[in-house]
Amino acid sequence: MDCINKIEIRLAEMRSSAQEFEKLIRKVEDLKIQIDVTNESRPRKAPKRLEDFIAHDVAPSGHDSNDLKTELKRVYICAIDSIVSSMKERFDQNDIKTVKDINRMLIACANNEVDVTTEYVIKHLGVAAKFVQVELLIDELKDLHVHVNLYNMELKLESMPVIKKVTAVSTIQGVLNTKPVSKASLPETHKLLILLSTYAMSSATAERTFSVMRRVKTWFRSRMCPGMLTNCMFAAIHKQRIDDVNAKKLTADFISRSSQRKDYFGQPH
């Protein structure tokens, strides 16, 4: 979640700042010099059948340098807008909105920027309210900034840089992991952080599963039964786990489970 927020902020900076575009242009020009690209356009000859109708045999350039730069800037802004639009479509789903709300709530409470009320907490928890004890969580969130301040005091004693402002949930996780007392004092907050860490950010996993199914169950395997399909997909998805399996040990275990198998396969070597 923190990574997505940073990308969104960076894209906004790139779009709003003219210096970012100029910096990109300079980088491209430097690369052009390094790879020795000339500005001369390739001469283009008119087709033979049009020789009588063409006044010149080389196509003229339709843009001067200023027009070209303007066009490049337009394409640059369109590309950024396209990325932002795709990110919104991908990461502004209802489930991810809940993750963002919980992130904002935890960060605001850690900085003591909000009045922690029942309505405020329930509004930001969303469906996650089913998995935590809301009343206990409210009391813990009221004291969350105190634990951050205590952690800062310990850092000062050790002459280490302190946390000026909490900007990411990972900072809160670090405080709880470093101070077992805080983790024990804030069990519901710790539970919420675990839920937040395990929340599915997108449908990529499900999409990959369908992609594997498309590769496994081809047109030539259209009559594959569901059990066989499940086993083949499991082997395809978890390749590393399958590679770690000791085939000889597995074979010996399979044969040893039945006298009929022993008679048929013989003793495993």
Side-chain angles (χ1 to χ4, degrees), residues 3-5 7-8 11 82-92:
C3 180
I4 296 170
N5 292 334
I7 292 173
E8 289 177 347
L11 287 172
S82 177
I83 295 170
V84 171
S85 175
S86 298
M87 287 185 64
K88 285 183 178 179
E89 184 179 350
R90 184 77 171 180
F91 296 109
D92 279 0

Side-chain angles (χ1 to χ4, degrees), residues 13-208:
E13 291 175 355
M14 291 174 65
R15 194 189 189 288
S16 60
S17 174
Q19 295 178 353
E20 294 290 339
F21 175 72
E22 294 294 336
K23 192 187 298 183
L24 180 63
I25 290 292
R26 286 196 296 271
K27 284 184 179 179
V28 172
E29 289 175 348
D30 292 341
L31 286 173
K32 185 172 67 174
I33 293 171
Q34 291 176 15
I35 61 178
D36 193 23
V37 176
T38 59
N39 289 325
E40 296 179 1
S41 59
R42 182 166 61 90
R44 301 176 183 275
K45 292 185 178 180
K48 287 283 186 182
R49 65 180 183 276
L50 298 178
E51 282 183 351
D52 296 337
F53 305 97
I54 301 296
H56 44 266
D57 57 355
V58 178
S61 174
H63 302 281
D64 58 19
S65 59
N66 291 330
D67 290 340
L68 179 60
K69 196 170 183 179
T70 303
E71 178 65 14
L72 288 174
K73 189 170 184 179
R74 185 190 67 80
V75 174
Y76 168 79
I77 292 175
C78 286
I80 293 177
D81 290 343
S82 177
I83 295 170
V84 171
S85 175
S86 298
M87 287 185 64
K88 285 183 178 179
E89 184 179 350
R90 184 77 171 180
F91 296 109
D92 279 0
Q93 302 168 14
N94 291 332
D95 292 343
I96 298 176
K97 182 179 180 298
T98 302
V99 175
K100 287 184 175 181
D101 289 342
I102 295 173
N103 266 274
R104 294 191 193 99
M105 179 184 70
L106 289 171
I107 292 171
C109 292
N111 293 318
N112 196 22
E113 296 175 344
V114 293
D115 183 20
V116 183
T117 61
T118 305
E119 294 78 8
Y120 174 81
V121 173
I122 292 176
K123 177 183 175 182
H124 284 76
L125 281 178
V127 294
K130 300 177 183 178
F131 305 101
V132 295
Q133 298 183 37
V134 178
E135 294 181 359
L136 291 177
L137 180 64
I138 292 170
D139 294 335
E140 293 178 10
L141 291 177
K142 290 178 180 178
D143 297 333
L144 184 58
H145 69 282
V146 177
H147 291 270
V148 176
N149 292 336
L150 290 173
Y151 181 70
N152 276 335
M153 290 173 63
E154 291 185 4
L155 292 177
K156 284 182 180 179
L157 292 174
E158 297 176 5
S159 301
M160 296 177 66
V162 299
I163 302 170
K164 295 181 180 179
K165 185 177 181 180
V166 177
T167 57
V169 174
S170 56
T171 305
I172 304 172
Q173 291 174 333
V175 171
L176 297 186
N177 290 331
T178 308
K179 291 180 62 62
V181 176
S182 296
K183 185 184 290 188
S185 303
L186 307 171
E188 294 303 314
T189 305
H190 183 233
K191 186 191 296 183
L192 184 62
L193 288 170
I194 294 174
L195 286 171
L196 197 62
S197 301
T198 56
Y199 218 95
M201 290 301 297
S202 69
S203 58
T205 305
E207 291 170 7
R208 291 193 193 104

